[in-house]
Amino acid sequence: MKAILMTAAGSPDVLQLREIPLPELPSEHHVRVKLAAAGINPLDTKLRAKPAYYPDKLPTILGCDGAGIIDAIGTAVTRFTVGDAVYFCNGGVGDEPGCYAEYTNVHEDYCAFKPANLSLQESAALPLVLITVWEALIERANLQAKQTILIHAAAGGVGHIAVQLAHHLGAHVAVTVSDDKKAGLVQGLGAEKIINYREQDFVREALVWTADKGVDVVFDTVGGEVFLRSLNAARIGGKVVSLLSTPLSLADTQLARLRNLSLCYELMLTPQVMHMHDERIRQRKILEQGAQLIETGKLGVLVNRMLPLKDAAQAHRLIEQGGVTGKFVLVMD
């Protein structure tokens, strides 16, 4: 089969198209999936540049997100049969092979049936961002109807899903975007307050929007100075949920303490990296609940661009340029 191997840490050039053996099922509980597509996430570019979890296991296959058709099953598999269309988040961080390939193996407990109204290519764009947003907004922030939330980089892969889920939960949604085109996109997804961060101070705009109270929740997908300034955009007793590990100075910590803020961190990879089987089943159930929302029109995914598998390096270059709207996907056919 064809696969993109990451041969070393470094630039996108370390991603090489190679012919490798078809994977054998590693256990009686695994299924083999003929992949139709693999989602590409900014995480992939970071792991390519600096393998964080398994730096000694190279070459490897990147790509956590996949969707395809099951073509072989282990003898103990009960949830699926050959021919089922599934999507999942599995591998791609260096331990198990990822989804930049024509085939991959997945434990049956980590697979979900793909949303019936999405193509396999669209479905492949969803798992990592859907689980990330679900955990951040529902499990970390406990976002409730009529609360206010500020979502940074709202037109991005994570951001545009966050806007939709927050809107579905009944929250009032403010967002930061960089231009009018992205503003129109997120407004159509349910955002009420649009802040162009290149022209406006998002802290001031959030305070004006909430009558100087601050928002109940900030969802930070950017990190750095954006995260630190967000401490002033949250209300006293509010929550700031971040996907990044931004260093806090003593002054930052004192400010957060003075304002009684809850600082929460979200890394949906933790169950995979730390081999937490039950937690990975919980994440699969998120995919199942997400599929129901997608099938009833409550959620959707924006696939900005589909590229052939051989162009994985080019996809990484485009993502590293920044400003990507929605998701990129590698297709196998």
Side-chain angles (χ1 to χ4, degrees), residues 24-32 72-80 105-109:
E24 298 293 331
L25 294 174
S27 86
E28 60 187 3
H29 295 286
H30 276 72
V31 300
R32 188 174 66 198
I73 63 173
T75 57
V77 169
T78 60
R79 299 185 59 246
F80 300 102
N105 291 321
V106 190
H107 194 290
E108 68 164 326
D109 287 344

Side-chain angles (χ1 to χ4, degrees), residues 288-303:
E288 292 171 341
Q289 293 175 82
Q292 292 177 4
L293 293 179
I294 292 163
E295 290 167 358
T296 56
K298 305 287 196 320
L299 287 180
V301 62
L302 171 62
V303 176

Side-chain angles (χ1 to χ4, degrees), residues 33 67-70 80-87 112-115 118 120:
V33 179
I69 304 297
I70 292 175
F80 300 102
T81 60
V82 171
D84 285 340
V86 295
Y87 78 140
F113 287 102
K114 79 166 186 67
L118 293 187
L120 286 166

Side-chain angles (χ1 to χ4, degrees), residues 237-297:
K239 298 178 180 178
V240 180
V241 184
S242 183
L243 304 184
L244 291 304
S245 54
T246 302
L248 287 164
S249 69
L250 178 59
D252 298 324
T253 304
Q254 289 174 331
L255 173 64
R257 179 170 177 262
L258 177 65
R259 297 179 64 80
N260 278 310
L261 298 180
S262 295
L263 305 184
C264 308
Y265 295 93
E266 164 60 25
L267 179 64
M268 65 78 56
L269 290 176
T270 297
Q272 181 174 329
V273 173
M274 301 187 73
H275 306 290
M276 304 168 71
H277 181 69
D278 289 346
E279 284 296 287
R280 296 193 69 183
I281 292 174
R282 177 189 58 78
Q283 290 186 332
R284 180 255 296 168
K285 291 178 180 178
I286 291 174
L287 295 182
E288 292 171 341
Q289 293 175 82
Q292 292 177 4
L293 293 179
I294 292 163
E295 290 167 358
T296 56

